[in-house]
Amino acid sequence: MLSAIATSLLRSLSKRDNDADFSGSPDDGELNDPSQEEQYSSWALFILIALLVGSLWTSYYLQVRKIRAVHETVVSIFAGMIVGLIIRVSPGHYIQDAVSFKSSYFFNMLLPPIILNCGYELHLANFSRNIGTILAFAFGGTFVSAVVLGCILYVWAFLGLEGLKVPFVIALSVGATLSATDPVTILSIFNTYKVDPKLYTIIFGESILNDAVSIVMFETTQKFHGESVGFSSLFQGVGLFLMTFTISLLIGAIVGVTTAVILRHSQIKNFPSIETCLIMLFAYASYFFSNGCHMSGIVSLLFCGVTLKHYAFFSMSKRTQISVKYIFQTLSQLSENFIFIYLGLSLFTEVELVYKPVLIVVTMFGICVSRWAAVFPLSRIINFFHRARARALGNPYPDELPQQYQVMLFWAGLRGAVGVALAAGLEGEDANALRATVLVVVVLTVIVFGGTTARMLEILGIATGVATDEDDDDVELWGAMVEQRQGQDGQVA
Amino acid sequence: MLNSILSTAANLLSRRESDADFEGSPDDELNNPSQEELYSSWALFILIVLLIGSLWTSYYLQIRKIQAVHETVVSIFAGMIVGLVIRILPGHYIQDTVSFKSSYFFNMLLPPIILNCGYELHQANFFRNIGPILTFAFAGTFISAVVLGIIIYVWALLGLEGLKIPFVAALGFGATLSATDPVTILSIFNTYKVDPKLYTIIFGESILNDAVSIVMFETTQKLHGESAGISGLLKGIGIFLMTFTISLLIGSIVGVMTALVLKHSRIRLFPSIETCLILLFAYASYFFSNGCHMSGIVSLLFCGITLKHYAHYNMSKRTQIATKFMFQTLAQLSENFIFIYLGLSLFTEVKLVYKPLLIVVTAFGICVSRWASVFPLSKLINFVHRTRATAYGRAVPEELPDQYQIMLFWAGLRGAVGVALASGIEGEHANALRATILIVVVLTVIVFGGTTSSMLEILGIQTGVETDDNESDIELDMQFGIGGSYKGQSHVLHSVYAENDHNQRRASSISQSVNDLASQIIRRSPEASQGTLSVEEPNSYSRGSVLESSDHAALESGSKAQPTPSISRTTSANQSTTGSNAASMSNSNSSTPLGGLPGLLARTAEDHARWFQDFDEHVLKPVLLDTSSHNDSSSDLSLPTSQRTSSPQPSAGSSKLDVSGT
């Protein structure tokens, strides 16, 4: 019922848009004038910035009032949707074009700061302690999830209720697209609540490697486009995937280590502003180089960030340490907030999308099933291994992943902007319908799962308020600084 | 000869390119997003590698102390070489990606630079030299644009190259090429530590310049097709002044609003959000202003200034540092990038039509127009200063000596703003004009930028003057553990800076020695009093008074008032307990030196300055700055309160000085 209303609304809107497109065509000519164009792009950017200010302000307000029922990402998406609707209804299409989702902007501008900051802020000890679980979920889980979702979609298309023709490879690639879980919302809630670092690390590690895995899977399926899929191609795909992953990791680590060596063996420490720029540029270079080589830029950048923090950090000048940290944090926060606004906006400003309500419902259902199929069996396997190991050592061992952690992992399966950006690469006759489905499903998962995470934490009774050292970092930095300063004062005196 | 070779090479290349374009049409399958993304990744990777190379060169040049070559020139050449390689390679996707787009320039590259300029602006110096700056920025740019426009118009009338350029288009062209670029010159000045006065004038001129030439260009675009008469001129000036004022207001209002928001909210408890918001507010002012057909540059510049002047003190410590570093880093990246971009676009722009004679004429015209704007205006400024000085009955050295004038002329290299504006040129010869602008800009950067350092030596302009920029960074590294001390230290350094500036102006050995003594006292005092904020804050906050005092001393009372800075310092430090007394004294005294003196007209600028400063101290700052005490434990929040208690002192000190001076 509700979905029917929604689709009729969407239909009328898309009709409205076609009209606008036709009526807008006369002023296609005068928009070639760069100063006019610049003015429109200024307005578009101003709107985006105003939305961003609003979202950050909401986040502040929610934190200050300790309101936890609503999360700022949900607010951002809704604000984006409302503004997108207004932009769509208002005449002229230039602003609409300027604010619509472009995957190249996403991959080249918005994603790198987030990944880099993730790598840079990564708690290496926690991460490596849980590396087994993380890798199991990231690799096994994503693969299972993509295949299950792909099968569901394929079967649905096969039934032919909506006249869709989706070949199996395409169905798999949609599955891969929708297997990239997004960490931002969940992790920011976890941060506020100070949830057990183990759960935090697992979800964080899974979601970040997830993106890389699903990108590589998606590209692999794109390569098989048109071919028949057999067992040999499965092996080929796995081989391709592992190679990509390893090489990307190496690129990132080598760039990080090179930076550390350069910092150590040069006197660039004396020019901290140049140093700061260079560190940022090296990290970005690893990302783009890796992407350019058909490798996974995300993996490279992540591990570049990790190596930078682990090795290069100690060769930097004090000023660079501080400014790099702050710049990464600020840029990543801006990007994160922006992505949700962008998602909300693009729901209405994308022109070509074709909304198929039943497909959306099926996909939504498929997502839950596939996440279920990925999380629970894998958790059981992990628990089994841990118990076996504990028994071998002869000591009783609690479950590695207790029941409520498993449910939380399931709940953390909300899909993110990476999926939407990947979906831009979908081909075939029903590409627009699939793209629309991916976008709507992503927005729905963020609203549903993201909006209820805080409640879920309470219901499951997961321990909160665990002290992490993230916040103390700053204080320590200050402390070190004060000590150093006092030492120098002593020398002066 | 060389020109014809160049042009044939360019022609050859452009033919090569159109071939490549045809060949490239089959691979229009690039519509595939993943393929497209791949190419854009390579393009970005190339740009980043160039940027790394440029920064590394800059580091290398600095460490080897090589001053013959400047990194911007290296950047441009590196960009040109890579652009050539990209052009020769088959396929046009990367070429399209790296070619100059004015929207990228105006929306991504320019804002960080302008914002950082506003934020790092030495406000005291800037407003002390506001007269020459405004003269050069407004009148200078206008003269330059008109002279260049006339030269080009006359050249087109001669018809040697078959160009037909209407007068308005020629004026637009002139406006485009009147935006001087500060980056190269100022980075050289920074390395050499040139006299802050010259630095400030060139800096202020070049930054306001951009705004002026953008507004002029847009005005000429609006007049496009109409005949330009006197009424058009007046209308243009009217539009220009309105635009400038409104833009300035937008920027200041946004800055003040930010200060108020920061003051009346508890957002400083969430420093990461705070940092983002400050950045966003500044950008919002830029885009809003641009969207309203106003000048985003002016808005952003003044937004930066207001942010630094008011909002800075309401921020949490973390945000203060984060914004400072972030603005600096982004600005540096943008600056370096722009030169690479210019070099690249010389070869990657496809449509350009190179007319060698026009280029030579324009390069010549640029020198003439710069000459016509710098020297007469300098003479005018010197004349005004001399009359003002004689009104006081004493001799002062020239405001702008000859070598400063030549340096100002030499600083007239044109920048990327012109190239970006040029993309808006219309008419049949737009491509030829665009190509001319691009080449002339690159040429001026190479010629003037490459020879600035030797020019400094030839002219014998004093270098090695201590500025506070580098110092304060080092200070910052050590200081910001404790809230007030960083502020204190840097402000004291400001005053040392002012002393040096002052020295320069007088150039008398006696005052030098006295000043050295004073600055030694100043340097020592914070070290002695570190950690005890109550003693230190008065010191730091009497920055205004020292600047005031040195200014007045220079203008009014000769070398007699020389030791006063140190006196004011000690007195203000001693008076820290009797704040209210001093405040009332300052209020009663501040009006006395204004009346009963001859040359009232000549002094109005200083009067306005002092009136504004009083207004600023007593009305604006209490309203805008955060004055409540916080129960928060972080030490930075104690800063504003201690400032407030000490804020009456500077005016007390300055008014006393005024009394003693008169």
Side-chain angles (χ1 to χ4, degrees):
Chain A
M1 181 61 203
L2 212 142
S3 70
I5 294 176
T7 50
S8 62
L9 212 133
L10 287 174
R11 286 259 165 73
S12 69
L13 273 170
S14 72
K15 223 170 291 157
R16 166 95 187 72
D17 184 69
N18 286 341
D19 295 352
D21 224 22
F22 286 121
S23 67
S25 48
D27 63 22
D28 253 357
E30 55 177 298
L31 279 180
N32 286 331
D33 172 20
S35 84
Q36 190 78 356
E37 200 176 306
E38 204 221 308
Q39 206 204 342
Y40 276 109
S41 69
S42 291
W43 277 118
L45 284 168
F46 178 70
I47 291 170
L48 293 179
I49 286 179
L51 277 172
L52 210 41
V53 168
S55 134
L56 285 166
W57 192 259
T58 314
S59 145
Y60 154 70
Y61 187 81
L62 293 178
Q63 282 187 39
V64 127
R65 300 267 163 204
K66 300 205 189 305
I67 298 168
R68 276 156 185 177
V70 193
H71 195 259
E72 79 230 43
T73 52
V74 180
V75 177
S76 299
I77 283 196
F78 275 112
M81 276 160 68
I82 292 167
V83 173
L85 194 62
I86 294 171
I87 289 176
R88 175 128 191 191
V89 170
S90 58
H93 61 101
Y94 191 84
I95 290 184
Q96 189 173 339
D97 291 350
V99 298
S100 66
F101 194 87
K102 286 181 200 69
S103 67
S104 68
Y105 283 177
F106 177 76
F107 279 119
N108 293 336
M109 273 179 60
L110 297 175
L111 196 56
I114 299 179
I115 306 288
L116 181 57
N117 191 46
C118 281
Y120 204 73
E121 304 258 297
L122 189 74
H123 198 291
L124 205 59
N126 273 343
F127 189 77
S128 51
R129 204 178 302 142
N130 296 307
I131 190 81
T133 318
I134 291 171
L135 288 182
F137 279 118
F139 291 169
T142 311
F143 185 73
V144 171
S145 154
V147 171
V148 170
L149 187 57
C151 288
I152 291 174
L153 282 179
Y154 181 65
V155 170
W156 172 252
F158 209 72
L159 290 177
L161 280 184
E162 281 186 309
L164 284 173
K165 266 184 219 154
V166 185
F168 187 63
V169 179
I170 298 257
L172 262 189
S173 64
V174 174
T177 308
L178 277 174
S179 304
T181 60
D182 184 73
V184 178
T185 319
I186 298 274
L187 291 191
S188 71
I189 293 172
F190 278 22
N191 262 333
T192 327
Y193 277 83
K194 301 201 188 310
V195 176
D196 178 16
K198 184 168 143 193
L199 185 60
Y200 181 95
T201 312
I202 291 173
I203 291 180
F204 168 83
E206 188 214 342
S207 57
I208 200 162
L209 291 179
N210 226 343
D211 291 350
V213 173
S214 73
I215 290 176
V216 174
M217 272 188 75
F218 179 79
E219 282 176 1
T220 315
T221 57
Q222 290 296 97
K223 272 178 208 152
F224 286 114
H225 194 63
E227 294 176 31
S228 65
V229 188
F231 260 102
S232 66
S233 59
L234 177 71
F235 280 115
Q236 204 185 339
V238 171
L240 211 61
F241 170 73
L242 286 180
M243 190 196 69
T244 308
F245 196 84
T246 318
I247 295 180
S248 309
L249 195 153
L250 281 180
I251 291 175
I254 288 172
V255 170
V257 169
T258 313
T259 314
V261 171
I262 288 176
L263 287 185
R264 203 170 151 202
H265 291 288
S266 71
Q267 291 165 286
I268 203 150
K269 240 173 279 183
N270 300 332
F271 304 95
S273 55
I274 296 179
E275 197 187 4
T276 314
C277 295
L278 278 179
I279 284 165
M280 281 185 71
L281 290 174
F282 275 123
Y284 271 72
S286 80
Y287 180 79
F288 291 119
F289 179 73
S290 192
N291 268 347
C293 296
H294 273 294
M295 297 293 131
S296 162
I298 293 187
V299 175
S300 297
L301 192 56
L302 180 70
F303 284 93
C304 183
V306 171
T307 11
L308 278 180
K309 177 73 175 215
H310 204 64
Y311 299 112
F313 183 77
F314 300 103
S315 320
M316 298 176 201
S317 68
K318 212 90 209 155
R319 196 199 119 136
T320 307
Q321 288 180 350
I322 294 162
S323 49
V324 164
K325 185 184 152 92
Y326 287 166
I327 289 171
F328 287 177
Q329 274 181 2
T330 310
L331 290 181
S332 124
Q333 191 171 13
L334 285 175
S335 292
E336 281 170 8
N337 280 288
F338 188 69
I339 283 174
F340 288 101
I341 292 171
Y342 214 29
L343 281 181
L345 269 176
S346 57
L347 212 55
F348 289 105
T349 52
E350 290 271 318
V351 184
E352 290 162 6
L353 300 181
V354 181
Y355 295 96
K356 304 237 173 196
V358 187
L359 181 66
I360 291 171
V361 173
V362 169
T363 314
M364 196 65 203
F365 169 74
I367 269 192
C368 296
V369 172
S370 65
R371 181 78 188 167
W372 189 279
V375 168
F376 289 96
L378 278 178
S379 307
R380 231 158 264 156
I381 293 174
I382 290 166
N383 278 341
F384 174 77
F385 269 107
H386 269 267
R387 222 176 295 126
R389 198 191 296 164
R391 211 175 293 131
L393 292 173
N395 46 355
Y397 201 83
D399 273 354
E400 175 76 3
L401 292 168
Q403 200 69 38
Q404 74 262 38
Y405 277 28
Q406 296 180 18
V407 178
M408 202 61 231
L409 272 170
F410 172 75
W411 214 253
L414 49 89
R415 268 54 171 172
V418 171
V420 179
L422 278 181
L426 283 174
E427 286 164 13
E429 45 182 326
D430 289 315
N432 283 331
L434 292 176
R435 245 174 251 151
T437 310
V438 170
L439 180 59
V440 173
V441 166
V442 166
V443 171
L444 278 180
T445 55
V446 171
I447 293 173
V448 173
F449 290 118
T452 54
T453 301
R455 183 68 42 81
M456 206 63 195
L457 273 178
E458 280 166 30
I459 292 173
L460 293 174
I462 291 176
T464 54
V466 181
T468 55
D469 54 350
E470 296 272 328
D471 297 324
D472 298 4
D473 254 10
D474 283 352
V475 180
E476 274 171 35
L477 208 53
W478 298 133
M481 224 124 276
V482 172
E483 269 170 33
Q484 187 196 9
R485 177 181 161 273
Q486 280 163 350
Q488 276 172 1
D489 282 355
Q491 284 171 4
V492 169
Chain B
M1 182 60 204
L2 214 143
N3 269 315
S4 63
I5 292 176
L6 270 178
S7 73
T8 50
N11 280 342
L12 224 140
L13 276 169
S14 72
R15 215 171 298 148
R16 166 94 188 72
E17 164 53 30
S18 49
D19 293 352
D21 226 22
F22 286 121
E23 284 164 21
S25 49
D27 65 21
D28 262 344
E29 49 169 315
L30 284 178
N31 286 330
N32 178 2
S34 82
Q35 192 75 1
E36 206 171 288
E37 206 221 308
L38 190 74
Y39 278 108
S40 67
S41 291
W42 276 117
L44 285 168
F45 178 69
I46 291 169
L47 293 179
I48 286 180
V49 168
L50 278 173
L51 210 41
I52 290 177
S54 132
L55 284 167
W56 192 259
T57 313
S58 141
Y59 155 69
Y60 187 81
L61 293 179
Q62 281 187 38
I63 210 149
R64 298 271 162 199
K65 301 206 188 303
I66 299 169
Q67 281 154 352
V69 192
H70 196 259
E71 77 230 44
T72 50
V73 179
V74 177
S75 296
I76 284 197
F77 275 113
M80 276 160 69
I81 291 167
V82 174
L84 195 61
V85 172
I86 290 176
R87 175 130 193 191
I88 288 170
L89 288 178
H92 60 101
Y93 191 83
I94 291 183
Q95 189 173 341
D96 290 351
T97 313
V98 298
S99 65
F100 195 87
K101 285 180 200 72
S102 68
S103 69
Y104 283 178
F105 177 77
F106 279 118
N107 293 335
M108 274 180 57
L109 297 175
L110 195 57
I113 298 178
I114 304 289
L115 180 58
N116 191 47
C117 282
Y119 208 72
E120 302 263 294
L121 186 73
H122 196 290
Q123 291 172 11
N125 272 342
F126 184 77
F127 289 108
R128 194 179 318 142
N129 295 311
I130 192 81
I133 290 173
L134 287 181
T135 316
F136 281 120
F138 290 169
T141 311
F142 183 75
I143 292 174
S144 152
V146 171
V147 169
L148 186 57
I150 290 173
I151 289 175
I152 294 297
Y153 180 66
V154 168
W155 172 251
L157 264 188
L158 289 179
L160 280 185
E161 281 186 310
L163 286 171
K164 266 183 221 151
I165 305 174
F167 187 63
V168 177
L171 265 187
F173 182 80
T176 310
L177 275 176
S178 304
T180 60
D181 185 73
V183 179
T184 317
I185 297 274
L186 291 192
S187 69
I188 293 172
F189 278 23
N190 263 333
T191 326
Y192 276 85
K193 305 199 189 310
V194 175
D195 177 17
K197 183 170 150 195
L198 184 59
Y199 180 96
T200 311
I201 291 176
I202 290 180
F203 168 85
E205 187 214 343
S206 57
I207 199 162
L208 291 179
N209 224 342
D210 291 351
V212 174
S213 74
I214 290 177
V215 175
M216 271 188 76
F217 179 75
E218 283 175 1
T219 314
T220 57
Q221 292 296 97
K222 270 176 210 155
L223 297 179
H224 196 62
E226 296 174 31
S227 66
I230 297 288
S231 70
L233 179 73
L234 288 181
K235 199 169 141 194
I237 291 176
I239 291 177
F240 171 73
L241 285 181
M242 190 197 69
T243 308
F244 195 85
T245 318
I246 295 179
S247 309
L248 195 153
L249 281 179
I250 291 176
S252 319
I253 288 172
V254 170
V256 167
M257 288 259 296
T258 313
L260 282 176
V261 166
L262 290 182
K263 182 187 172 187
H264 291 291
S265 71
R266 284 187 288 162
I267 202 147
R268 71 176 72 74
L269 301 178
F270 306 95
S272 56
I273 297 179
E274 196 187 4
T275 315
C276 295
L277 278 178
I278 284 163
L279 191 68
L280 289 174
F281 276 127
Y283 270 71
S285 79
Y286 179 79
F287 290 120
F288 179 73
S289 191
N290 267 349
C292 296
H293 273 296
M294 296 293 133
S295 162
I297 293 186
V298 176
S299 295
L300 192 56
L301 179 70
F302 282 91
C303 183
I305 293 175
T306 357
L307 278 180
K308 178 72 174 211
H309 200 64
Y310 299 114
H312 186 77
Y313 300 105
N314 297 349
M315 297 176 200
S316 66
K317 198 87 217 159
R318 198 200 116 134
T319 307
Q320 288 180 349
I321 293 160
T323 46
K324 184 184 154 85
F325 286 168
M326 197 159 58
F327 292 170
Q328 275 181 2
T329 309
L330 292 180
Q332 190 170 12
L333 285 175
S334 292
E335 281 170 7
N336 280 288
F337 188 68
I338 283 174
F339 288 100
I340 292 172
Y341 214 30
L342 281 181
L344 269 175
S345 57
L346 211 57
F347 288 105
T348 54
E349 289 272 319
V350 183
K351 293 180 196 156
L352 302 180
V353 180
Y354 296 96
K355 303 235 175 197
L357 279 180
L358 181 66
I359 293 169
V360 173
V361 169
T362 313
F364 168 74
I366 270 191
C367 297
V368 172
S369 64
R370 181 81 188 162
W371 187 280
S373 70
V374 166
F375 290 95
L377 284 177
S378 307
K379 243 158 245 162
L380 186 73
I381 291 168
N382 278 340
F383 174 75
V384 170
H385 267 265
R386 217 175 303 124
T387 39
R388 194 191 295 175
T390 44
Y392 292 125
R394 67 203 144 75
V396 289
E398 290 196 323
E399 175 77 1
L400 292 168
D402 273 339
Q403 75 260 40
Y404 279 28
Q405 296 181 19
I406 295 176
M407 203 60 231
L408 273 170
F409 171 75
W410 214 253
L413 49 89
R414 266 58 169 170
V417 171
V419 178
L421 278 182
S423 64
I425 288 183
E426 285 163 15
E428 48 180 329
H429 295 298
N431 285 330
L433 292 180
R434 247 174 250 150
T436 309
I437 288 172
L438 181 59
I439 290 195
V440 166
V441 165
V442 171
L443 276 181
T444 54
V445 171
I446 292 174
V447 171
F448 289 119
T451 52
T452 300
S453 48
S454 34
M455 204 62 196
L456 273 177
E457 279 165 30
I458 292 171
L459 292 176
I461 290 177
Q462 191 180 352
T463 55
V465 181
E466 189 187 347
T467 58
D468 59 342
D469 277 348
N470 301 329
E471 295 279 327
S472 67
D473 281 351
I474 301 163
E475 296 294 326
L476 202 58
D477 277 353
M478 297 174 230
Q479 298 286 330
F480 53 63
I482 288 178
S485 61
Y486 146 57
K487 283 264 133 305
Q489 198 82 343
S490 83
H491 283 191
V492 168
L493 277 162
H494 276 273
S495 58
V496 172
Y497 184 37
E499 299 286 319
N500 275 308
D501 176 12
H502 187 45
N503 278 348
Q504 187 100 51
R505 196 185 288 186
R506 314 314 252 23
S508 93
S509 59
I510 306 166
S511 69
Q512 191 115 13
S513 64
V514 177
N515 254 345
D516 282 349
L517 196 67
S519 58
Q520 270 174 17
I521 294 168
I522 295 161
R523 281 207 200 102
R524 258 181 223 150
S525 58
E527 283 163 15
S529 62
Q530 251 167 19
T532 52
L533 290 174
S534 58
V535 184
E536 191 178 331
E537 284 304 323
N539 263 349
S540 72
Y541 222 71
S542 60
R543 163 180 70 124
S545 80
V546 175
L547 290 178
E548 275 281 283
S549 65
S550 55
D551 211 15
H552 283 278
L555 283 169
E556 290 166 20
S557 57
S559 61
K560 198 169 60 181
Q562 205 46 49
T564 46
S566 58
I567 292 176
S568 84
R569 181 159 302 283
T570 48
T571 48
S572 67
N574 291 336
Q575 280 167 354
S576 63
T577 47
T578 60
S580 56
N581 244 345
S584 62
M585 270 170 66
S586 82
N587 281 337
S588 60
N589 285 343
S590 58
S591 58
T592 47
L594 305 186
L597 278 171
L600 198 65
L601 187 72
R603 291 193 52 198
T604 46
E606 276 76 28
D607 287 346
H608 286 312
R610 193 170 330 110
W611 174 83
F612 180 73
Q613 195 152 5
D614 281 350
F615 180 69
D616 190 40
E617 291 295 339
H618 299 295
V619 181
L620 285 179
K621 281 200 170 164
V623 172
L624 294 175
L625 296 196
D626 186 37
T627 51
S628 59
S629 61
H630 302 278
N631 46 7
D632 188 84
S633 61
S634 53
S635 56
D636 57 273
L637 298 178
S638 64
L639 177 63
T641 52
S642 50
Q643 261 170 12
R644 189 216 182 183
T645 53
S646 65
S647 61
Q649 264 81 59
S651 33
S654 64
S655 62
K656 283 206 156 177
L657 272 176
D658 291 341
V659 173
S660 69
T662 52

